[in-house]
Amino acid sequence: MGRAFVYVILGGGVAAGYAALEFTNKGVSNGELCIISEEPVAPYERPALSKGFLLPEAPARLPAFHTCVGANEERLTPKWYKEHGIELILGTRVKSADVRRKTLLTAAGETISYKYLIIATGARALRLEEFGVSGSDAPNVCYLRDLADATRLVDVIQTSTGGNAVVIGGGYIGMECAASLVINKINVSMVFPEPHCMGRLFTPKIANYYEEFYKTKGVNFVKGTVLSSFVFDPEGKVTGVNLKDGTYLPADLVVVGIGIRPNTSLFEGQLTLEKGGIKVNSQLQTSNSSVYAVGDVASFPVKIFGETRRLEHVDAARKSARHAVAAIMEPDKTTDFDYLPFFYSRVFSLSWQFYGDNLGEVVYFGDFSGTSFGAYWVHKGQLVGSFLEGGSKEEYEAIAKVTRLKPVIEDLSELERQGLDFVVAL
Ligand code: FAD
Ligand code: NAD
Ligand code: ISD
């Protein structure tokens, strides 16, 4: 049993949705394209799951956040795919791939063949078991990667009002979920091994601002340690956690956000990998010319830095997906992917954006005791990265524009004196 398509997108997340939109812009014909996804719903904006989806009042629910609303584009509902002749093969896991034969085999036993394949399999959440801690399949221990996880988390939140939550991990999931739990009137302790939150991006000074803000909301930080074991009641529900430093924290709910692993396994031994992802060139093409990779799973050349990176952020997923489709459909017209890394988050009343790279010396500006401040990173005499909390639309656009230009910085103290005016004036 089998079906054949000209274009197959493997994975039905953010990148898949934006790729589908681009395929229609480029004139894909009825029946030529399919999306195969393990998830039972059409592609949606994953960022909503740790933000609007967790709100106690008027929470975001599908179909409101199907792609591509996150970039102010058309909202692609199941009806939209039908009207555009795009086959959605949902609730279907691909269990093996043969890039030489150009076929995928689903868990249901169907063989799907393609002329061009776009790998958009994203990533999976790392589990505590991978760090030697068992018990994370308990009913009140929650991970957050997909809609099923988020739905389960909401159920546990609703039975935990007024109770205690332990958030394991001080990265994006930890910070965004901790804020959502507080908004749901749950007492939160955050546990992570680093000396400050958001260790991959924030400096100690930036992290301190957010930690102090969280403390005013009642969040308790337990830093420099990790979980050693869960404590269970006779029904197998977690009632608390033991930490390596000897601390015990009671818990009605545990949220775990300890990083991800890209879903590359179907292609290991068939395609070249680099930096944990599937290596692609500046057209998002893998080591097999019929196969492209986009989003969290792709390691692509970041031209502005002159090196290959794998990014785990929604803007990169959206733009790499659109670029890959353009490269497939209009190869002669498509220039190299020239991407400026962009990360952001929104928690409580706070909102920040970051562009570029966090490398080199840091120059701070603005009011760290107020609501708007930022930082520039200067590496080898050039401005390579910019962070801004509490900016206006115009200010965010300005830091993005200037960071892309990598201006020469001769005098760090002058940059500090000018602060945000430096980018607004350029
Ligand atoms: P995904 O969106 O993860 O999609 C991958 C899809 O592939 C899934 O549907 C999966 O089921 C499917 N799949 C995988 N393997 C198979 C298989 N073998 N067979 C069939 N289907 C398969 N980034 C930001 O920049 N800002 C944010 O605010 C932000 N918030 C986030 C909040 C949460 C809760 C999470 C989890 C992530 C967030 N991110 C955010 C990161 C962002 O969502 C990801 O970078 C983005 O989703 C990556 O898109 P993708 O299409 O590569 O992968
Ligand atoms: P992350 O990489 O942002 O943070 C992982 C955190 O886990 C680290 O900060 C560290 O404190 C902690 N950690 C690592 N090992 C640990 C251990 N053994 N015990 C305890 N803590 C440990 O990953 P995440 O927060 O899990 O987020 C998952 C993915 O979702 C990432 O790709 C992230 O980019 C994405 N995401 C992005 C956003 C955003 O961009 N606004 C929001 C949510 C999720
Ligand atoms: O980029 C995003 C983001 O942060 C979201 O919450 O896309 C989603 C949409 O805005 C959800 O509606």
Side-chain angles (χ1 to χ4, degrees), residues 182-225:
V182 168
I183 294 166
N184 278 280
K185 300 193 170 24
I186 296 172
N187 307 307
V188 178
S189 290
M190 287 189 71
V191 179
F192 49 84
E194 297 88 357
H196 64 76
C197 70
M198 294 290 292
R200 289 205 290 168
L201 180 65
F202 288 2
T203 65
K205 187 177 167 84
I206 295 175
N208 184 60
Y209 178 89
Y210 293 94
E211 288 181 13
E212 290 303 315
F213 190 95
Y214 274 52
K215 285 182 199 165
T216 68
K217 301 284 181 186
V219 174
N220 168 37
F221 285 90
V222 187
K223 303 192 267 188
T225 190

Side-chain angles (χ1 to χ4, degrees), residues 30 60 62 178 337:
N30 266 10
L62 288 176
F337 188 46

Side-chain angles (χ1 to χ4, degrees), residues 157-420:
I157 285 174
Q158 284 170 353
T159 59
S160 305
T161 310
N164 299 306
V166 175
V167 172
I168 309 288
Y172 288 94
I173 291 284
M175 292 300 279
E176 293 185 5
C177 287
S180 297
L181 293 171
V182 168
I183 294 166
N184 278 280
K185 300 193 170 24
I186 296 172
N187 307 307
V188 178
S189 290
M190 287 189 71
V191 179
F192 49 84
E194 297 88 357
H196 64 76
C197 70
M198 294 290 292
R200 289 205 290 168
L201 180 65
F202 288 2
T203 65
K205 187 177 167 84
I206 295 175
N208 184 60
Y209 178 89
Y210 293 94
E211 288 181 13
E212 290 303 315
F213 190 95
Y214 274 52
K215 285 182 199 165
T216 68
K217 301 284 181 186
V219 174
N220 168 37
F221 285 90
V222 187
K223 303 192 267 188
T225 190
V226 290
L227 187 70
S228 65
S229 62
F230 288 114
V231 179
F232 299 95
D233 70 9
E235 277 79 51
K237 211 177 142 188
V238 167
T239 54
V241 303
N242 290 313
L243 306 182
K244 281 240 164 78
D245 71 357
T247 309
Y248 169 80
L249 297 169
D252 300 291
L253 158 62
V254 177
V255 177
V256 186
I258 56 171
I260 62 166
R261 197 62 87 238
N263 291 320
T264 56
S265 61
L266 292 174
F267 300 96
E268 282 163 24
Q270 301 193 70
L271 300 175
T272 305
L273 303 190
E274 189 175 328
K275 296 193 170 167
I278 296 172
K279 186 181 180 179
V280 294
N281 63 19
S282 51
Q283 300 294 312
L284 287 313
Q285 192 175 37
T286 70
S287 50
N288 179 300
S289 61
S290 306
V291 182
Y292 292 69
V294 297
D296 281 10
V297 81
S299 293
F300 63 92
V302 181
K303 217 173 155 185
I304 186 169
F305 304 146
E307 64 175 59
T308 296
R309 300 259 175 112
R310 193 184 58 72
L311 301 178
E312 301 174 354
H313 292 272
V314 74
D315 183 64
R318 292 168 179 158
K319 290 185 176 143
S320 61
R322 298 186 82 148
H323 201 94
V325 174
I328 293 168
M329 301 286 277
E330 293 177 342
D332 299 335
K333 283 200 223 161
T334 306
T335 54
D336 286 350
F337 188 46
D338 184 7
Y339 182 69
L340 174 70
F342 164 45
F343 315 149
Y344 69 88
S345 184
R346 296 190 302 272
V347 286
F348 297 114
S349 55
L350 306 176
S351 175
W352 59 260
Q353 295 192 9
F354 170 86
Y355 294 88
D357 206 1
N358 58 338
L359 205 65
E361 289 181 84
V362 189
V363 172
Y364 297 100
F365 60 83
D367 182 4
F368 275 75
S369 57
T371 56
S372 182
F373 63 88
Y376 299 121
W377 279 259
V378 179
H379 183 57
K380 294 185 179 164
Q382 283 179 294
L383 188 151
V384 296
S386 306
F387 176 94
L388 179 60
E389 163 64 46
S392 65
K393 185 172 171 284
E394 294 71 26
E395 288 167 343
Y396 287 127
E397 282 168 5
I399 62 164
K401 193 176 121 205
V402 172
T403 307
R404 179 172 273 289
L405 296 173
K406 295 214 292 185
V408 171
I409 303 295
E410 277 160 6
D411 184 349
L412 293 183
S413 52
E414 176 57 17
L415 179 64
E416 185 177 14
R417 196 193 60 74
Q418 288 190 29
L420 199 52

